[in-house]
């Protein structure tokens, strides 16, 4: 099964993808995580991606699509995957469909997580991430037991560079799922809209229900 998670920055795509992956065994593929890994390792792709990420803009389609296609050619994505942060537009959606069609597969569900702007700003400003295992936290909504330390692995927590208020503003302006992308999945009959402004557990339950 191939699932696409859609939603604005801070909607909870990454958090819910981690939970759904744990519940279903689907591999979690996040283009944002892949770019951040390249930035950390200071690769050529990381240097290019960082020019866009630091301004709150999308990385060009060509490099993003190439990276994603390479990723889904690996064995762990042969039978299914959950995409978090990809596709962001209909060019990327078309490229994904083409790659999946080549193996006789398709996007089975596109789950749109809806959250108001005010709540998105609060979520991004309070987000902390484990440097070691990637577990996501929120200082008020989902705090770690010990401040600054991951419950799951004891790793150190950090805040993303692009969660600074000026970059958050740009991301919210430029990176909401565009109407034509939502329409693309609606017409394919696979779109499900989920109210993301509920507790973490309620949103997880609604998403799992939508992919059953
Ligand atoms: P990416 O990493 O994908 O960032 P994003 O889309 O901005 O999404 P976020 O990761 O910020 O938010 P999220 O929805 O995952 O929310 P989260 O679960 O963390 O992309 C980063 C950059 O990479 C982009 O700007 C772009 O430059 C580039 N990029 C990536 N993909 C690309 C592509 N396909 N094409 C081109 N460029 C691309 O939750 C947020 C916080 O809220 C957390 O603290 C969490 O604990 C809390 N929270 C979550 N759910 C709840 C809840 N129900 N109640 C209370 N708190 C909650
Ligand atoms: Zn951890």
């Amino acid at each position: 099964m191939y699932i696409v998670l859609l939603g604005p920055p801070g909607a909870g795509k990454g958090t819910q993808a981690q939970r759904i992956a744990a519940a279903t065994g689907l591999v979690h593929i996040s283009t944002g995580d892949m770019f951040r890994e390249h930035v950390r390792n200071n690769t050529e792709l990381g240097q290019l991606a960082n020019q866009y990420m630091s301004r709150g803009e999308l990385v060009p389609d060509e490099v993003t699509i190439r990276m994603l296609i390479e990723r889904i050619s690996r064995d762990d994505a042969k039978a299914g995957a959950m995409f978090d942060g990809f596709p962001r537009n209909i060019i990327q959606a078309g490229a994904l469909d083409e790659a999946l069609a080549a193996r006789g597969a398709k996007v089975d569900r596109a789950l749109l997580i809806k959250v108001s702007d005010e709540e998105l700003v609060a979520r991004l400003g309070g987000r902390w991430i484990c440097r070691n295992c990637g577990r996501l936290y929120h200082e008020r909504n989902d705090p770690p037991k010990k401040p600054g330390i991951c419950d799951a692995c004891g790793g150190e927590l950090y805040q993303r560079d692009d969660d600074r208020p000026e970059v958050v503003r740009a991301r919210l302006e430029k990176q909401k799922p565009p109407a034509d992308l939502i329409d693309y999945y609606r017409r394919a009959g696979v779109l499900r809209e989920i109210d993301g402004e509920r507790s973490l557990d309620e949103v997880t339950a609604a998403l799992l229900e939508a992919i059953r």
Side-chain angles (χ1 to χ4, degrees), residues 66-136:
R66 198 180 322 128
M67 177 177 80
L68 192 278
I69 301 283
E70 190 281 318
R71 177 66 188 84
I72 62 175
S73 69
R74 294 192 217 155
D75 282 348
D76 63 352
K78 289 249 157 80
M82 186 175 28
F83 301 107
D84 154 16
F86 188 97
R88 302 282 183 137
N89 55 39
I90 52 174
I91 293 170
Q92 295 185 4
L96 177 61
D97 279 354
E98 210 177 291
L100 293 180
R103 59 173 82 165
K106 62 178 175 54
V107 172
D108 298 290
R109 281 280 180 277
L111 307 172
L112 173 62
I113 306 179
K114 297 167 87 166
V115 174
S116 67
D117 277 10
E118 203 185 351
E119 173 69 12
L120 294 173
V121 170
R123 286 191 188 178
L124 293 171
R127 170 163 62 188
W128 291 83
I129 306 162
C130 176
R131 222 180 262 294
N132 181 45
C133 76
R135 161 79 155 89
L136 292 152

Side-chain angles (χ1 to χ4, degrees), residues 39-57:
V39 172
R40 252 194 311 277
N41 296 330
N42 199 24
T43 67
E44 210 172 302
L45 175 57
Q47 289 174 12
L48 173 83
N50 200 32
Q51 293 173 23
Y52 297 89
M53 295 167 80
S54 63
R55 292 198 298 260
E57 289 170 10

